[in-house]
Structure formats: structure tokens, C-alpha cells
Amino acid sequence: MGSERGSVELVNVTKRYGDVVAVDTLNLEINSGEFLSLLGPSGCGKTTTLRMLAGFEQPDEGFVRISGEYVQGVPPYKRDVNTVFQHYALFPHMSVAENVAYGLRQKGVSKDEIGTKVVEALDMVQMSKMATRRPRQLSGGQQQRVAVARALVNRPSILLLDEPLGALDRKLREEMQIELKLLQNRLGITFVFVTHDQEEAMSMSDRIAIMLNGHVEQLGDPETVYERPTSAFVAGFIGRNNFWRGVATENGANADDQTVFVASRPKENVPTGQEALAAVRPECISLSATKPGASSNVVGAKVAGVSHFGDVLQYVVSTGSRDLLVQVSRTDPARFGVGDEVWCSWSADDVFLFSARQASLVLAGTGSV
Ligand SMILES: Nc1ncnc2c1ncn2[C@@H]1O[C@H](COP(=O)(O)OP(=O)(O)O)[C@@H](O)[C@H]1O
Ligand SMILES: [Mg+2]
């Protein structure tokens, strides 16, 4: 672990800019050949982390290993990595092939070798047919592919991508997500992919490092970070949740709004009597016209809104003191309209309970408490 070609290791890495701690005692191991996303809100230190891997910045503390080698003081061009930036800035006066060849020319690589490598790199992104075009004769997606080819031309074992799809519109962005993922599968090299978009990270990654305030808050595969968030911040940042503030009891929490008792086993060690934040995902709440008997959490509400999203229906229901978000499958036979009286119920097993320490962060991030 940590010594293979294509592996990355950050150990207790800290980077400061004046008083700002951009990266704070960050620890992360990335496996060779994996697609790992750094995901987090703006300013959490994603770009700074990537720049330390690329060699554009040096850590103030801690160390970085790339393909098993300590890289303190190793300049960017001598590292086994290359970067695709958000603003990938192709040279407008050069052809596609010249853009891809540029780095190799600078290094004094022979003309023959450049020719072969450029063809290979353009083949990888299916752009060989457009080798003689100028960037302005390409669509946004094609320009992005050229930027990727330019980064791959040296055959790095790790590709660093800093919000590479940020400038593209939604549809193109989704197409490029699939394309990049297929490319990574085909090449088998490590991708370290920075994004603030949780859906993007969820759909593309083998594992996601969710970052907050310069450190890794949780590291795991998409399913795990969704189903077993270890902090309120992660629960609010990945997918959606209904949150309750309250006080932890022996087997759950008494919510502040008095109307709901949220039963669950306290997770993350929230001691009884302490302020807690309980969370239930919208798809874990069931709606029914008659009061269900068995469920551990039952509350009456009135439907305030219904939205259709292809395969799911989303309800906003009001308990009188708050709104809840409920998501059901379109194939669910029970349908409700605005104004209908309904019963909401959910199982104790679907309740997360966290220390209230991070409540303000969750509030800021999702607005759903
Ligand atoms: N060159 C710099 N000089 C001063 N502060 C910086 C610099 N680069 C980043 N920062 C600060 O470090 C923090 C992390 O920034 P960054 O790594 O760019 O976050 P992200 O990419 O997650 O949005 C932010 O507070 C940012 O303002
Ligand atoms: Mg950034």
C-alpha cells in the first residue's frame, strides 16, 4: 500500500497562506488505478491539495508520496502526474495536434516521438480526426477532450483533474462524466478528481474523500458515504436529509419541535442529554392515508407540494411546526394531492443521530433543518 506506481499518499499535510489554513493535517491514501474524488464546498482546500500533488505548492508540514516516492522539492514536470484544469486554456492559434504536442516540444522530445505520442493521446480521447482544427472550431466537450489528451501525452500514472467539467452545460457535463469514467477504466491510471458537485462525485468515483475545512471528513465508496455518513456535515452534503435538532435520549432523541420522537440508537456516541441532530432521508419516509401501527416514528401532516421527477415523486408535507421532504417511487400506488391529510412514518433503523456540534454547518449547507 502506498508504494505502487500510481498510488498517492498524503500524511499530516498542512498548507497555510498567511493566516489562512487552506489544508489542515490532511491524511489520505489513494490506490493505484482508482478514481478518487475530492468533494467539498468552495474553499475547503481541494485545489490546494491537488496543487501539492502536482508540485505547484509545497506543504508547510507533513509529506506527500507519489508512486511510492517522497516528492518534497521535486518540480512539477518531474512528477508522475499531470493536471487538467477547469480553465483548460488551449492555445487558440495552434491546431489540436500542436496543442497536445506543446509540452513535449518544450522538453525537446524528438519530432518522431512527438508525432507518435500525439496520435496516441488523441486516439485515447477519440479526437484524431480533428487534429488539424483550431480550438475555436471545436465544441466545448471536444475542447475538454483535447485538454485531457494534452495532460495524458506524457503517460502519467496519475491524472489530476480540478473541476474539469465546471464550464460545461448540464447535458454535456453528464456526457463527459461518462466519457471520463470510461477513459479512466480503459487507461487504468489513477484519477484524482476535484468537484464540489456531490452527484458528479457519486456517479463517477470508486471512492470519495469528503473535505471540510482543509481535512478529510469521511472517505469511502459512494454507497457507504450515502448510507453510513459519519458526521452531520456528510449527511447533509451527500444526498438530502430531513434534520431535527433535539436532545439525545437513551434510545433516540427528543426533537425540539415536540411533535416528533425520533427513535434510533445513538450513533457517533452522542451521550444521553446532549444536544443532537437527527437525520432521516426523504426516501426512508412512507406516506399513508391511515395511521400505521407498527412503525417507530409516526407523525401526522398535510401535503403542501408534489413534484414529479421521472421515476420518483417528491412531496413536501407540513407537520404544522415544520416541513418534511418525502420521496416515493412513481410506482407507489398511494397518491396524494396538495391539502391531503397524511401520516408520515419511518423506521428507527433509518435515523442517523449526530452530535449537534456541526448543526450550523449543516444548516448553512442544506437549509433543511
Ligand atoms: N494563493 C492563495 N493565497 C491565499 N489564500 C489562498 C490561496 N489559495 C487558496 N487560498 C485559500 O485557501 C482556502 C482553500 O482554497 P482552495 O484550495 O482553493 O479551496 P477549494 O478548491 O476547495 O475551493 C480558501 O480559504 C482560499 O481562499
Ligand atoms: Mg478549487
Side-chain angles (χ1 to χ4, degrees):
M1 181 74 225
S3 58
E4 233 178 305
R5 181 142 195 242
S7 66
V8 174
E9 196 179 353
L10 294 126
V11 180
N12 292 328
V13 169
T14 294
K15 177 71 191 175
R16 299 183 198 90
Y17 296 105
D19 292 343
V20 178
V21 186
V23 171
D24 190 3
T25 332
L26 181 137
N27 286 285
L28 180 61
E29 281 188 36
I30 303 172
N31 302 318
S32 177
E34 101 172 307
F35 193 120
L36 183 126
S37 291
L38 299 176
L39 170 70
S42 179
C44 72
K46 305 181 294 295
T47 293
T48 305
T49 302
L50 215 63
R51 289 175 61 81
M52 287 191 283
L53 297 182
F56 301 126
E57 303 283 356
Q58 302 297 324
D60 294 314
E61 284 164 39
F63 63 85
V64 175
R65 287 211 298 172
I66 291 174
S67 298
E69 286 179 35
Y70 294 92
V71 292
Q72 278 95 322
V74 177
Y77 68 92
K78 285 194 177 160
R79 296 188 179 202
D80 198 8
V81 304
N82 218 333
T83 309
V84 180
F85 299 98
Q86 174 171 354
H87 304 287
Y88 34 84
L90 301 174
F91 299 113
H93 58 286
M94 289 184 193
S95 70
V96 163
E98 287 162 351
N99 264 283
V100 176
Y102 183 79
L104 298 176
R105 279 221 182 95
Q106 296 294 99
K107 279 191 181 173
V109 176
S110 78
K111 220 170 179 187
D112 280 357
E113 195 181 339
I114 291 178
T116 316
K117 284 191 160 166
V118 168
V119 170
E120 274 175 12
L122 287 176
D123 272 346
M124 286 177 207
V125 296
Q126 278 129 30
M127 284 294 289
S128 328
K129 289 202 179 103
M130 305 198 181
T132 58
R133 290 203 193 175
R134 307 272 145 161
R136 71 177 136 69
Q137 296 170 303
L138 303 175
S139 71
Q142 290 167 338
Q143 290 182 32
Q144 179 60 51
R145 287 199 229 157
V146 175
V148 171
R150 189 172 59 178
L152 288 174
V153 74
N154 270 330
R155 291 304 194 117
S157 45
I158 301 155
L159 195 64
L160 309 174
L161 303 104
D162 194 353
E163 312 231 11
L165 309 180
L168 306 178
D169 67 41
R170 189 191 165 99
K171 188 156 183 299
L172 186 54
R173 196 181 166 108
E174 284 171 0
E175 286 169 16
M176 287 301 293
Q177 286 170 2
I178 295 167
E179 210 170 283
L180 277 178
K181 180 70 193 167
L182 290 174
L183 178 70
Q184 190 261 346
N185 277 340
R186 214 162 55 229
L187 298 177
I189 66 173
T190 311
F191 273 35
V192 186
F193 185 91
V194 163
T195 180
H196 64 270
D197 179 338
Q198 54 103 7
E199 282 182 30
E200 185 163 282
M202 292 290 278
S203 70
M204 297 176 83
S205 315
D206 295 319
R207 290 192 304 161
I208 304 175
I210 298 147
M211 290 182 63
L212 173 68
N213 297 337
H215 70 269
V216 175
E217 182 80 356
Q218 186 171 358
L219 172 68
D221 60 64
E223 200 177 312
T224 304
V225 295
Y226 188 84
E227 289 179 357
R228 292 197 297 281
T230 54
S231 72
F233 173 74
V234 173
F237 199 77
I238 302 279
R240 283 164 315 163
N241 256 306
N242 295 291
F243 285 100
W244 285 263
R245 286 165 177 282
V247 173
T249 62
E250 227 149 78
N251 61 346
N254 283 320
D256 287 349
D257 66 9
Q258 307 285 318
T259 57
V260 187
F261 175 76
V262 184
S264 84
R265 280 176 303 282
K267 307 201 167 65
E268 205 210 40
N269 282 330
V270 190
T272 299
Q274 238 185 46
E275 274 189 74
L277 205 62
V280 181
R281 294 221 182 260
E283 69 271 23
C284 295
I285 300 179
S286 308
L287 295 183
S288 54
T290 53
K291 190 168 184 176
S295 209
S296 38
N297 295 280
V298 179
V299 59
K302 198 179 234 184
V303 175
V306 190
S307 313
H308 296 254
F309 293 93
D311 53 346
V312 295
L313 282 178
Q314 268 173 25
Y315 292 95
V316 176
V317 302
S318 171
T319 66
S321 59
R322 61 165 297 154
D323 288 345
L324 294 178
L325 194 61
V326 180
Q327 180 174 302
V328 301
S329 162
R330 206 175 53 81
T331 55
D332 192 318
R335 290 289 175 89
F336 302 97
V338 172
D340 286 356
E341 305 274 353
V342 290
W343 292 97
C344 307
S345 58
W346 60 93
S347 148
D349 290 340
D350 291 326
V351 179
F352 299 108
L353 200 63
F354 304 106
S355 145
R357 183 174 52 90
Q358 289 185 320
S360 59
L361 277 171
V362 176
L363 285 166
T366 67
S368 50
V369 174

